[in-house]
Amino acid sequence: MKKSKPYLDRREFIKDLGIVSASLGFSACSSTYRGEHPEGTRFEGEDGFLSTVESLPMHKATMVHRKLGRPILLIKLGDGRVLSYESYCPHMSCDLNDGVSSQPVDVQNGEMRCFLHDSYFDLETGKRLRGPAKEGDMIPKFEIKIVDGKIYKA
């Protein structure tokens, strides 16, 4: 009697499992901003207007959805400066923010945290400090200009 061949051999099973795991991981990341936007969500204006400095909460990352590309995070510091980054964690290409309009930033320690996997980044430079993101990874800065208290994309 001839032995029957298993439906999947071990190598095929592991390969298929890897593909399924990867697609589940990316779908979790890509679902961050899907569905309805919370009340107060900010959107880029026709002229590239993003927000006003006055309306930004102090020491929080305020998310602004762009027409094209990833949302950006605007962070108003105590000294009046506004920092801006793309909402992008290089660990698994996920958004940094959880989809609400603001989230706390640990300004005292000068760091930002990815809400999904706890990677921490330097607030001033965007460089990875610790967590699962790789050494040398960075959050991309987003260029802005401020004119009469209004923030625009540069």
Side-chain angles (χ1 to χ4, degrees):
M1 193 166 168
K2 200 173 186 183
K3 272 189 166 180
S4 65
K5 186 176 179 181
Y7 178 71
L8 281 178
D9 72 13
R10 191 170 26 140
R11 285 187 188 116
E12 288 178 273
F13 175 76
I14 291 170
K15 180 178 135 189
D16 289 347
L17 184 62
I19 291 169
V20 169
S21 298
S23 60
L24 287 174
F26 286 125
S27 67
C29 291
S30 64
S31 67
T32 307
Y33 294 107
R34 305 303 179 248
E36 292 185 30
H37 296 286
E39 188 175 325
T41 300
R42 299 173 190 223
F43 295 92
E44 176 186 345
E46 288 300 317
D47 56 357
F49 174 77
L50 301 172
S51 186
T52 62
V53 174
E54 185 180 326
S55 71
L56 295 178
M58 193 73 69
H59 302 175
K60 292 191 181 288
T62 299
M63 183 173 59
V64 179
H65 293 273
R66 295 170 37 206
K67 289 181 228 168
L68 296 173
R70 287 188 176 273
I72 61 163
L73 303 174
L74 299 174
I75 304 158
K76 183 166 80 173
L77 302 177
D79 62 7
R81 290 182 300 139
V82 176
L83 303 177
S84 59
Y85 292 96
E86 286 189 33
S87 182
Y88 171 78
C89 179
H91 170 232
M92 290 192 64
S93 302
C94 296
D95 292 314
L96 274 175
N97 197 291
D98 64 1
V100 295
S101 59
S102 296
Q103 75 181 45
V105 174
D106 188 350
V107 176
Q108 182 176 354
N109 291 325
E111 46 190 45
M112 291 183 285
R113 172 186 165 266
C114 178
F115 81 102
L116 276 174
H117 304 115
D118 287 333
S119 286
Y120 287 81
F121 301 89
D122 183 270
L123 187 61
E124 296 286 336
T125 65
K127 289 182 183 176
R128 177 224 182 244
L129 297 171
R130 64 186 179 281
K134 293 181 200 162
E135 188 71 36
D137 278 351
M138 295 182 71
I139 301 170
K141 286 201 172 206
F142 185 82
E143 295 299 319
I144 59 171
K145 61 184 175 184
I146 300 175
V147 180
D148 297 325
K150 295 179 180 176
I151 305 167
Y152 297 88
K153 67 180 182 182

